[in-house]
Amino acid sequence: MWPLAKYVLENYLPRASSATGQVVVYLIFALAGAGILLGFASAFAGVSSFVERRVAARMMSRVGPNRVGPQGLLQFMADGLKLVLKEDLIPVGANRLLFRIAPYFVFAGMFGTFVALPFSARLVAANLDVGILYILSITALVVVGIILGGWSSNSKWSLFGGLRSAAQIISYEIPAGLAVLVVVLHAGGLSTQRIIEAQGGMPWNWFIFYSPFSLIAFPVYFTAALAEGNRTPFDLPEAESELVAGYSTEYSGFRFVVFFFAEWANLWIMSAIAVLCFFGGWRIPFVSVAATYSTWYLILLGLAIFCFKTLTLVLVVIQLRWTLPRLRVDQMMSMCWKYLIPIAFVCILGTMTWIVFVGQDTMPGTAARFVLFAAGAAIAVRQIVRTWFNYRADRATYTKLTGQPLWYPPYRLP
Amino acid sequence: MSRYFKNISNSVLSILEGMTVTLSWMFRRPYTVQWPDKIEKSIEDTLPERYRGLLEVETSLCIGCMACMKECPIECIAVSIERDAVTKERRITQFDIDASKCMVCGLCVEACPTGGLRHTTQFAAADGDIRNLVLRYIEKGSPVAPHAPKGPAPVVRPRGSIVAAKIKNGFSARSAGQAAEKP
Amino acid sequence: MTFNELSERLRTKFGDAAAPSAEGAPQAVTVPGPAIEQVARFCKEDPELDLNALSCLAGVDRKDRIELVYHLLSYRKGHELVLKAALDRAKPEIPTVESVWKTANWHERECFDLLGVNFLGHSDLRRILLPDDWVGYPLRKDYVAPTEYHGMSSTRVNPLQQPDAPADGKRSELKDLSQLKSLYGPVAGEMIVNMGPQHPSTHGVLNFLLVTDGEVMHKAVPHIGYLHRGMEKMAESISYPGYMPFTDRLDYLAAMSANQGYAMAVEKLLGCAVPPRGEYLRVLACELNRIASHLVATGSMAMDIGAFTPFLHWLREREYINDIMEELSGSRLTYNYMRIGGVAHDLPEGMADKILRWMDHFEPIIGEFDRLISNNEIFVQRLANVAVVSAEDAVDFGLVGPNLRASAVPWDLRRNMPYSAYADFQFDIPLGQGFRGTAGDCYDRFVVRVLEMRESCRILRQALAKMPAGDIRTKLPKRIKVPPGETYARVEAPRGEMGFYLISDGQETPYRLKVRTGSFTAMSIIEKLSHGVMIADLVAIIGSLDVVAPEVDR
């Protein structure tokens, strides 16, 4: 926001260029930017909760909520309204101050990352030089909120959930950071815009295909990000059959909305970081960086591309939630410390070796990129072929049994 | 050491395989029937012949044998027979079924010799007060003569229509195409 | 070995203390109370008798005495024996046989709870089904039910005897609930967490008191009885045919098997045979029910582990079975399909074809289920090597059904003691063998159930192909007076052996009906399995043992 504020100050408000005037104008712009991001994050949290319910329902051979509003689109508003109107309980014996502020730590931790996400060429609220480092650090704030929430609820189950979640998030910060370090090594800097600019628009110019080590670093990062967001298969602190919702069990009303919001907004964050690090961010194929920075419609196109890639990954996260069972606590910890971290270290060492001996614009480097892209595409094609096989295996017998055709694509909304 | 890599490869392959299964379900017809509004025929019309729904009594077929009352294991049928003081004929003065207690087991329907007591395909009956769920098939004060086998042919109303009229404010009155008939 | 050989062997060892029953009387060996433990130990440890399982321990109030009936079974030899002991009604006491069969622990607690028999030497004799402060022993013939309990009335106003509701719609006031608080005081001790009767898992109303040290448990103490409805006491006042719908509710997921067990018990006492078509229809119904029950069991196990999707896929398949059952019997869950002497209705038109079409659709879906969840590495790692039950423990604690077979004990009533028409069919008995871990772990119990579904499909196809024509039901009088006698009928329900011990004294209602269910003994082993496991594993254990509350509590 600072360059924008400076631009407006110099060209339109020269008389307010004193020190206090600059601060005031900058504050106004910062608040406006934060407001836009908050609106976006809230809208995304609500809509994605609805989309998840519809997608999950179709995977389970159901329909999902489709009554409130056209095709159920207002469902999340009804849920939010209901939660806000609920009675605001504070359990007897709970530490009142800590109970009240715990959700806001989680919220701050989640929302703070939005300011450094580069939505497109000029569309980043705070173009920090240490962007990725800032993002990874600010998400650690949620741990404070979770521990406070679990402890202050004065309930053994909340305590269990809170401590488990804290252990999980702290442990999985490490492989997430290490996997991102692989990307940083290729990009040569921590700034998020720089990481994106170092990639290209075409798929074989994305960081994920730069070397086999970054191809492995992506699943490492993705798994670690799932664990950070308490998503299945790592939702042990939350949806465990032992009780309700872990650290947020005792929360009701608006405070629960804050926890709820933080979880769904985190979907966007984890996917957005994966996209900007590994999948090329807002880079448009065949268009250079300078061109994107200077033309307004290319900025919007970059925004559309970024959002599209992020939403695709969000759908993958949603699908994983409804496919996989959850890990037990000790299995989760052993996965982090015995599997992800050693693999991440190997990836870093391998990347450093690769950069020195192979490089990226040389003949072997480029060849490797195409080969890895082909491998990635082969995995995707295999998935599609197996999906078709699964569908086809059911088709004939279903029609004989019910007399109706089996084909019912997702865009058909009953 | 090889266990280590085998674990990783097993996990990745089985996860990918599971994802193909769930993705394939996205393209299959969902099983849900959106009741009661988004269906062509009301559910009551599609249920099979033997469906054990709420009980109803076609009093023109009842002979007052009270077999149903004796057969019911939980005593939720109350039938009363009185002799008319003047004509000395049997009259059925009460035929109540406590629908709140009835577990629709069908033993009474099997016992009925004429088929006057029968199951219907009505399954939804809700009321705010449990006393309103007693289905009274003979109104107080208007006793019915039992069906005489050699008498005139009885008027048999369609199955389900009597109880449908009895259910006040139930779902059945609102479902598609179902018109509650007066007995 | 026949009854005569078994009782002869006991008489050789114990002389007059083991008196066989007279000719014509129900076959049992009567043992004086104080000697029961030695006799029981001999029965178990003698290599000829080898009666290694206590199927059922029933207490009967015979008005002048209290009789304890022990039904013993040998899994290796395939023979059974009944021991009886008569106790003084004023002060019923008998030594415990807990040291011989560990499953006697819970059976004796139930006997104490409902009949007031004191088991000398029992490690933990306290009430199990009824609340701890209950007064009286309900199964005694002179028991008068109290009219209220802590301020809650036990009678309901009969709406059939009431006038209509007032037009102003006033509803009755709720009673004062403050008296209920006195029942739930604080629990003292180290970190005790209550995994309460309200449970996100679907196994019914079960309560566990967990004594934990952080994540790892020291033990999990089950508290049952939340769904105790007094089925056995009710049977004493309901006519034989009228009790059939009640058996549906003994285990609503396996209603057909419960129907069949009860019908078999009554038919044995009546000496009435079921026509062949009736037997085939019974097999058909039971196997369909078995598939439906295993669908719920495996699906909810997957759901407890965290995978929600397979459960809904399974419920969808179960809906097809429900539709078939609805056409066949008229109801979707509590079928009341069987009658004493046969079944109630014949197969409707087109049903055989529909079942075959459904099976063509279903069998590939089992393969899809395997790809989705059974082979999923996370799922396997959650279940493999968790709560391993050795074959000896399984038999000793009274596990039956898939739980027993997963511990590699080859015992299935349909194969080893064939009843109904099962002898006509070819099918395999899946045994646990450590598919991905050790034999007898949670994963084995899961896989055995999935394989059993396939076997049930095989039986169904054979039954439909070979269905004989003819009657479905033997004609019996409306009012059945069963001649005096007693019998024990076993069926292989989806949750294991369901035994109906029926005593009749010539009236229209049973004298005593004792139901032995598989989930009751499965619950009893949880406390032993819970040492040193984590709370997340406890959920897996309960799911893998397939415990349903109505079977536990009756």
Side-chain angles (χ1 to χ4, degrees):
Chain A
M1 291 277 98
W2 175 235
L4 186 61
K6 206 147 160 281
Y7 174 77
V8 167
L9 206 57
E10 278 163 11
N11 295 352
Y12 298 103
L13 303 167
R15 284 190 296 169
S17 294
S18 63
T20 43
Q22 285 186 346
V23 169
V24 166
V25 170
Y26 177 59
L27 266 179
I28 294 173
F29 270 89
L31 285 174
I36 296 175
L37 283 174
L38 184 61
F40 172 75
S42 314
F44 177 78
V47 173
S48 77
S49 73
F50 164 71
V51 167
E52 159 145 9
R53 287 167 76 171
R54 291 300 295 260
V55 166
R58 286 306 300 275
M59 286 201 272
M60 298 180 186
S61 186
R62 301 181 288 124
V63 171
N66 66 345
R67 299 281 172 144
V68 183
Q71 281 300 328
L73 278 167
L74 299 181
Q75 178 73 41
F76 73 93
M77 305 210 73
D79 285 336
L81 201 62
K82 174 206 81 167
L83 281 171
V84 165
L85 292 176
K86 267 193 168 178
E87 180 188 357
D88 201 7
L89 297 167
I90 299 187
V92 169
N95 186 324
R96 301 182 78 90
L97 174 66
L98 295 179
F99 189 82
R100 285 200 168 104
I101 62 174
Y104 301 111
F105 275 103
V106 176
F107 173 79
M110 293 296 171
F111 184 60
T113 59
F114 272 88
V115 300
L117 283 181
F119 286 85
S120 188
R122 284 186 194 277
L123 298 181
V124 50
N127 196 358
L128 303 170
D129 285 335
V130 290
I132 274 289
L133 182 62
Y134 163 78
I135 290 178
L136 289 173
S137 322
I138 199 94
T139 48
L141 205 54
V142 305
V143 182
V144 178
I146 287 172
I147 294 187
L148 284 183
W151 169 260
S152 63
S153 297
N154 195 31
S155 155
K156 283 172 192 155
W157 294 109
S158 300
L159 188 62
F160 264 125
L163 289 180
R164 272 188 194 166
S165 184
Q168 181 176 314
I169 295 186
I170 294 177
S171 309
Y172 278 88
E173 293 268 346
I174 303 176
L178 290 176
V180 166
L181 191 57
V182 165
V183 165
V184 165
L185 283 173
H186 278 300
L190 286 169
S191 158
T192 48
Q193 291 287 39
R194 187 161 168 168
I195 293 176
I196 295 183
E197 287 159 18
Q199 297 176 68
M202 302 302 287
W204 43 84
N205 289 329
W206 293 342
F207 275 157
I208 186 176
F209 298 121
Y210 261 35
S211 75
F213 299 103
S214 49
L215 191 60
I216 299 177
F218 169 67
V220 169
Y221 171 74
F222 198 61
T223 314
L226 281 178
E228 299 251 330
N230 283 339
R231 296 285 299 189
T232 318
F234 302 100
D235 66 348
L236 209 78
E238 289 187 341
E240 174 69 62
S241 305
E242 57 187 79
L243 255 200
V244 198
Y247 53 87
S248 53
T249 311
E250 303 288 341
Y251 283 88
S252 61
F254 183 66
R255 295 198 200 94
F256 189 74
V257 175
V258 175
F259 271 123
F260 190 75
F261 157 86
E263 182 190 330
W264 293 103
N266 200 35
L267 272 187
W268 176 270
I269 295 167
M270 69 169 89
S271 308
I273 300 177
V275 161
L276 79 92
C277 286
F278 292 97
F279 289 104
W282 47 255
R283 287 302 304 269
I284 310 170
F286 307 119
V287 171
S288 71
V289 173
T292 327
Y293 265 99
S294 42
T295 22
W296 64 271
Y297 55 86
L298 285 178
I299 291 181
L300 287 180
L301 184 59
L303 174 67
I305 288 183
F306 180 78
C307 289
F308 176 75
K309 290 179 188 172
T310 313
L311 289 173
T312 314
L313 263 188
V314 167
L315 280 178
V316 172
V317 172
I318 291 176
Q319 189 190 0
L320 274 177
R321 178 181 184 179
W322 299 102
T323 312
L324 298 176
R326 66 178 76 93
L327 291 168
R328 210 174 52 208
V329 146
D330 62 325
Q331 289 168 343
M332 179 194 72
M333 294 310 253
S334 92
M335 174 177 228
C336 173
W337 293 94
K338 291 190 202 167
Y339 286 83
L340 290 185
I341 293 186
I343 296 177
F345 271 123
V346 163
C347 285
I348 293 179
L349 293 174
T351 307
M352 292 198 278
T353 322
W354 187 273
I355 292 177
V356 167
F357 286 111
V358 180
Q360 59 204 45
D361 288 324
T362 62
M363 198 27 193
T366 322
R369 290 219 298 271
F370 278 100
V371 166
L372 290 169
F373 169 68
I379 295 177
V381 164
R382 179 191 178 271
Q383 290 291 92
I384 295 176
V385 165
R386 294 284 311 166
T387 308
W388 166 245
F389 170 76
N390 275 324
Y391 169 85
R392 197 186 49 149
D394 198 21
R395 188 176 47 183
T397 54
Y398 181 86
T399 310
K400 284 226 314 234
L401 175 64
T402 59
Q404 286 175 318
L406 184 60
W407 176 248
Y408 208 90
Y411 50 78
R412 220 175 127 182
L413 303 171
Chain B
M1 195 55 196
S2 66
R3 268 275 305 267
Y4 185 88
F5 288 108
K6 202 157 186 302
N7 274 344
I8 300 177
S9 77
N10 274 346
S11 307
V12 169
L13 288 174
S14 60
I15 290 175
L16 286 178
E17 189 67 41
M19 283 174 69
T20 65
V21 173
T22 41
L23 192 61
S24 76
W25 277 91
M26 292 276 305
F27 294 90
R28 299 195 218 181
R29 181 175 290 269
Y31 186 79
T32 316
V33 170
Q34 298 189 67
W35 172 84
D37 50 348
K38 295 188 185 175
I39 44 178
E40 303 102 36
K41 293 205 300 186
S42 76
I43 299 277
E44 284 89 349
D45 295 333
T46 60
L47 289 172
E49 178 73 28
R50 290 183 195 164
Y51 183 75
R52 304 203 300 256
L54 293 171
L55 291 168
E56 81 173 356
V57 182
E58 174 50 271
T59 41
S60 64
L61 283 174
C62 177
I63 60 172
C65 64
M66 307 221 269
C68 53
M69 192 163 132
K70 293 174 204 153
E71 199 67 29
C72 176
I74 47 179
E75 297 163 9
C76 66
I77 304 183
V79 182
S80 305
I81 308 258
E82 277 174 12
R83 282 211 179 273
D84 191 280
V86 174
T87 58
K88 298 284 184 252
E89 283 176 353
R90 293 170 76 233
R91 290 247 179 271
I92 312 173
T93 50
Q94 180 196 26
F95 204 125
D96 295 340
I97 300 181
D98 185 356
S100 67
K101 203 172 167 195
C102 172
M103 55 177 171
V104 287
C105 64
L107 293 175
C108 57
V109 170
E110 267 187 42
C112 177
T114 58
L117 179 62
R118 54 205 186 186
H119 280 295
T120 61
T121 54
Q122 298 290 332
F123 53 84
D127 202 278
D129 194 308
I130 201 173
R131 292 171 283 190
N132 288 339
L133 284 176
V134 173
L135 301 168
R136 299 189 196 279
Y137 286 105
I138 292 184
E139 297 303 323
K140 245 205 186 77
S142 42
V144 169
H147 165 63
K150 299 197 176 68
V155 176
V156 178
R157 286 161 282 181
R159 192 172 89 122
S161 56
I162 314 173
V163 73
K166 286 252 170 282
I167 299 171
K168 302 179 273 234
N169 307 319
F171 286 108
S172 58
R174 280 186 266 141
S175 65
Q178 177 81 30
E181 291 179 8
K182 284 268 178 272
Chain C
M1 291 170 75
T2 66
F3 172 72
N4 288 331
E5 290 166 3
L6 293 164
S7 61
E8 189 56 41
R9 190 158 175 82
L10 277 177
R11 221 150 62 81
T12 328
K13 169 85 181 180
F14 289 102
D16 284 331
S21 51
E23 277 291 321
Q27 292 182 330
V29 174
T30 309
V31 174
I36 188 69
E37 203 202 325
Q38 294 131 304
V39 177
R41 195 176 299 283
F42 177 71
C43 284
K44 180 173 179 190
E45 290 169 359
D46 178 50
E48 291 286 313
L49 294 177
D50 199 20
L51 291 158
N52 57 352
L54 173 67
S55 277
C56 178
L57 203 173
V60 188
D61 182 359
R62 292 277 193 189
K63 298 200 177 108
D64 54 345
R65 64 188 192 279
I66 288 189
E67 199 170 68
L68 283 186
V69 185
Y70 297 76
H71 287 91
L72 308 176
L73 183 60
S74 170
Y75 285 142
R76 283 186 279 259
K77 300 259 185 337
H79 54 231
E80 49 179 340
L81 182 66
V82 180
L83 293 179
K84 286 194 183 175
L87 309 174
D88 177 24
R89 198 166 183 281
K91 193 167 181 276
E93 276 183 349
I94 190 171
T96 178
V97 293
E98 187 188 351
S99 53
V100 183
W101 302 284
K102 295 200 192 77
T103 182
N105 187 330
W106 272 38
H107 280 115
E108 288 175 351
R109 274 179 70 186
E110 183 184 338
C111 211
F112 164 71
D113 190 4
L114 297 174
L115 271 170
V117 176
N118 184 12
F119 290 91
L120 306 164
H122 195 280
S123 58
D124 184 21
L125 197 65
R126 54 193 166 94
R127 286 193 186 269
I128 189 169
L129 289 173
L130 297 171
D132 290 322
D133 57 355
W134 196 265
V135 171
Y137 302 110
L139 276 177
R140 294 215 179 173
K141 293 292 178 185
D142 57 357
Y143 177 73
V144 173
T147 50
E148 70 153 28
Y149 175 72
H150 284 272
M152 296 180 278
S153 160
S154 71
T155 53
R156 165 182 102 122
V157 167
N158 189 349
L160 284 172
Q161 291 152 6
Q162 295 293 305
D164 281 330
D168 61 2
K170 256 202 152 86
R171 305 174 64 165
S172 58
E173 295 297 318
L174 283 173
K175 283 241 171 34
D176 175 25
L177 293 175
S178 61
Q179 290 161 309
L180 286 178
K181 287 199 189 132
S182 62
L183 292 173
Y184 301 104
V187 180
E190 84 187 282
M191 179 99 150
I192 294 185
V193 199
N194 191 20
M195 205 162 169
Q198 269 182 317
H199 224 244
S201 335
T202 56
H203 298 285
V205 197
L206 302 168
N207 186 5
F208 290 93
L209 214 64
L210 311 179
V211 182
T212 76
D213 174 19
E215 226 12 270
V216 178
M217 290 194 298
H218 289 158
K219 62 177 176 173
V221 180
H223 289 174
I224 64 173
Y226 286 89
L227 203 50
H228 180 65
R229 293 152 291 169
M231 289 287 210
E232 298 179 359
K233 182 76 178 175
M234 274 200 283
E236 296 173 9
S237 54
I238 298 182
S239 67
Y240 286 97
Y243 193 71
M244 191 61 83
F246 286 75
T247 55
D248 284 335
R249 286 141 175 98
L250 279 171
D251 175 9
Y252 43 70
L253 291 172
M256 292 290 193
S257 304
N259 275 353
Q260 179 163 21
Y262 176 70
M264 270 169 60
V266 180
E267 284 154 12
K268 266 194 198 175
L269 283 182
L270 276 176
C272 141
V274 178
R277 188 174 173 88
E279 293 282 24
Y280 269 67
L281 283 172
R282 281 187 174 181
V283 167
L284 185 94
C286 281
E287 291 307 311
L288 267 178
N289 202 199
R290 188 183 310 275
I291 299 177
S293 173
H294 283 323
L295 287 174
V296 175
T298 46
S300 54
M301 212 173 143
M303 191 169 76
D304 289 341
I305 304 290
F308 305 96
T309 316
F311 181 59
L312 277 139
H313 291 170
W314 265 179
L315 282 188
R316 190 186 98 131
E317 296 307 316
R318 193 161 168 266
E319 283 296 302
Y320 290 120
I321 298 184
N322 280 350
D323 287 341
I324 292 173
M325 290 299 201
E326 195 180 44
E327 270 190 54
L328 179 64
S329 72
S331 174
R332 297 171 76 87
L333 186 72
T334 47
Y335 310 115
N336 194 23
Y337 177 58
M338 303 199 188
R339 300 282 183 269
I340 300 172
V343 295
H345 309 286
D346 205 343
L347 275 183
E349 276 297 316
M351 168 143 290
D353 187 46
K354 189 167 177 191
I355 298 179
L356 287 170
R357 274 184 286 137
W358 173 74
M359 276 198 284
D360 288 336
H361 161 79
F362 175 62
E363 279 166 341
I365 300 250
I366 304 183
E368 195 182 270
F369 180 79
D370 282 337
R371 286 201 296 279
L372 174 60
I373 188 82
S374 306
N375 295 332
N376 188 302
E377 190 65 22
I378 302 176
F379 190 69
V380 171
Q381 292 301 319
R382 275 299 291 273
L383 294 177
N385 295 318
V386 172
V388 177
V389 179
S390 66
E392 208 180 287
D393 270 343
V395 172
D396 224 17
F397 274 91
L399 287 186
V400 282
N403 297 333
L404 184 66
R405 294 194 276 281
S407 297
V409 176
W411 180 261
D412 186 327
L413 283 170
R414 298 173 291 168
R415 172 64 52 77
N416 299 82
M417 293 174 81
Y419 57 94
S420 185
Y422 280 108
D424 293 347
F425 300 117
Q426 298 262 21
F427 55 99
D428 295 325
I429 308 289
L431 285 182
Q433 62 198 30
F435 292 99
R436 295 291 288 270
T438 341
D441 60 13
C442 289
Y443 191 68
D444 272 9
R445 290 192 274 275
F446 173 82
V447 172
V448 161
R449 290 191 167 92
V450 176
L451 292 175
E452 274 192 11
M453 284 199 280
R454 287 194 192 272
E455 296 304 318
S456 289
C457 284
R458 260 176 85 182
I459 299 178
L460 277 172
R461 284 185 198 274
Q462 292 172 49
L464 284 170
K466 302 202 289 195
M467 179 87 61
D471 280 332
I472 55 172
R473 189 175 173 183
T474 321
K475 248 325 191 185
L476 286 174
K478 227 187 227 165
R479 294 224 159 299
I480 301 181
K481 269 209 166 121
V482 175
E486 61 184 54
T487 180
Y488 185 67
R490 300 182 157 94
V491 282
E492 183 75 22
R495 272 163 204 84
E497 169 188 324
M498 204 183 241
F500 285 80
Y501 177 53
L502 181 64
I503 303 179
S504 160
D505 59 350
Q507 305 297 320
E508 280 180 12
T509 62
Y511 184 80
R512 170 86 166 100
L513 174 70
K514 159 100 176 113
V515 185
R516 178 255 195 263
T517 51
S519 302
F520 184 70
T521 41
M523 274 294 270
S524 68
I525 203 179
I526 290 181
E527 187 168 351
K528 173 178 185 292
L529 290 176
S530 63
H531 290 285
V533 291
M534 289 192 225
I535 298 180
D537 286 331
L538 179 68
V539 175
I541 296 172
I542 301 170
S544 74
L545 289 171
D546 196 12
V547 174
V548 279
E551 258 204 344
V552 175
D553 298 331
R554 288 152 282 138

